[in-house]
């Protein structure tokens, strides 16, 4: 049972990180004319890095179904990163 709990906790952490990165991206995009844009952009980049790390960690213990969802999160975040540069 602890192994199952670890998988679920890792997945939930990755999911939460993904959602926070998406939210930070939206905040940064909304404030592109704002003087704090650079700060919000840095916050997004930090959230993005943390989310990708959480996803990598979760992939190590994920079930097949979780793995598919985590890979989708990963792809979405890489696309957001690509759009930045």
């Amino acid at each position: 049972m602890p192994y199952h709990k670890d998988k679920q906790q890792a997945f939930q952490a990755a999911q939460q990180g993904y959602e926070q990165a998406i939210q930070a991206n939206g905040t940064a995009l909304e404030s592109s004319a704002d003087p704090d844009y650079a700060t919000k952009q840095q916050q997004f980049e930090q959230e993005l890095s943390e989310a990708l790390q959480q996803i990598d960690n979760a992939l190590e213990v994920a079930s097949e179904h979780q793995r598919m969802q985590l890979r989708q999160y990963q792809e979405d975040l890489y696309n957001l990163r690509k759009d930045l540069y």
Side-chain angles (χ1 to χ4, degrees):
M1 190 62 149
Y3 182 72
H4 177 72
K5 188 175 183 181
D6 289 343
K7 287 194 314 186
Q8 189 62 29
Q9 287 175 337
F11 180 80
Q12 287 173 344
Q15 188 174 39
Q16 183 177 9
Y18 169 80
E19 291 169 359
Q20 288 172 338
I22 295 296
Q23 184 177 21
N25 180 55
T27 300
L29 290 176
E30 290 172 1
S31 62
S32 59
D34 190 323
D36 290 335
Y37 176 71
T39 301
K40 291 179 180 173
Q41 191 69 21
Q42 283 180 322
Q43 288 173 330
F44 164 65
E45 290 177 25
Q46 179 66 31
E47 292 287 345
L48 179 66
S49 293
E50 289 175 13
L52 288 169
Q53 182 61 51
Q54 289 171 325
I55 291 169
D56 286 341
N57 292 342
L59 281 168
E60 293 179 16
V61 296
S63 68
E64 190 57 37
H65 176 73
Q66 290 172 332
R67 190 175 308 274
M68 290 172 50
Q69 185 63 53
L70 291 167
R71 295 240 187 260
Q72 183 62 52
Y73 290 161
Q74 203 173 40
E75 184 178 332
D76 291 349
L77 294 177
Y78 283 134
N79 285 335
L80 286 177
R81 177 180 275 168
K82 186 173 66 174
D83 290 346
L84 283 177
Y85 305 106

